[in-house]
Amino acid sequence: TAGFSPFLAVTPRPPPTLGKYMSGFIATGTTDEPFVITNDGFWPDIDVVHMRKSIRLDGSITDARIEVVAINALIQVNRELAEAKTGYLEQGFNSLSAVPALKVNDESSLIHLYRRSIYCSVAAELTERYRSYDSTVDGNKNADELTPSVDEYRRDARFAIRDLLGVGHSTVELI
């Protein structure tokens, strides 16, 4: 046949898939570099690597963004616990870890509650801010199924704060 050459015969290959060749395009790594946010000396410092693992934050959220959100959480929670801190200091306890409390996993339960209040506050704000970035229907459905809601994080933070204050989880008033 005219124009046919056995040397030009090429077996067609399927086009490359984006997943195979562009998987590095989506930032989902983790950061394990030591990163601690110092607190005021009474309340414990926050280990950001531990917080990342605890609330399942990947590398797509930068340390700088986490730092801003965590510092805000520290300010808010510390403000809510200011009277409790004053009471402990008046009793001669110079840090939360010095306050007598039940030990869980070799650490004061008060430390665990404090961390929970901070971690859940951070998770609530980051979830609220970052959920809107994936605008696909499947992305929104997966986010709804796999992550606790902002309200659940805020509730858990509130419960931890109320436990630290020694008050119940609900307030009921008769009108």
Side-chain angles (χ1 to χ4, degrees), residues 36-56:
V36 174
I37 298 175
T38 57
N39 214 329
D40 67 356
F42 179 83
W43 303 110
D45 295 341
I46 297 300
D47 177 349
V48 176
V49 174
H50 183 262
M51 182 171 60
R52 269 187 188 280
K53 291 176 182 174
S54 296
I55 58 177
R56 297 184 306 176

Side-chain angles (χ1 to χ4, degrees), residues 96-108:
L96 187 62
S97 61
V99 176
L102 173 72
K103 296 267 185 187
V104 177
N105 201 25
D106 269 346
E107 195 168 39
S108 166

Side-chain angles (χ1 to χ4, degrees), residues 40-93:
D40 67 356
F42 179 83
W43 303 110
D45 295 341
I46 297 300
D47 177 349
V48 176
V49 174
H50 183 262
M51 182 171 60
R52 269 187 188 280
K53 291 176 182 174
S54 296
I55 58 177
R56 297 184 306 176
L57 297 177
D58 62 27
S60 66
I61 301 173
T62 66
D63 283 347
R65 181 68 187 136
I66 291 173
E67 182 178 19
V68 169
V69 173
I71 288 172
N72 182 61
L74 289 170
I75 292 167
Q76 297 297 322
V77 171
N78 290 357
R79 188 176 292 149
E80 289 190 56
L81 298 172
E83 285 184 37
K85 175 184 171 182
T86 300
Y88 289 136
L89 290 171
E90 288 172 355
Q91 294 174 43
F93 303 113

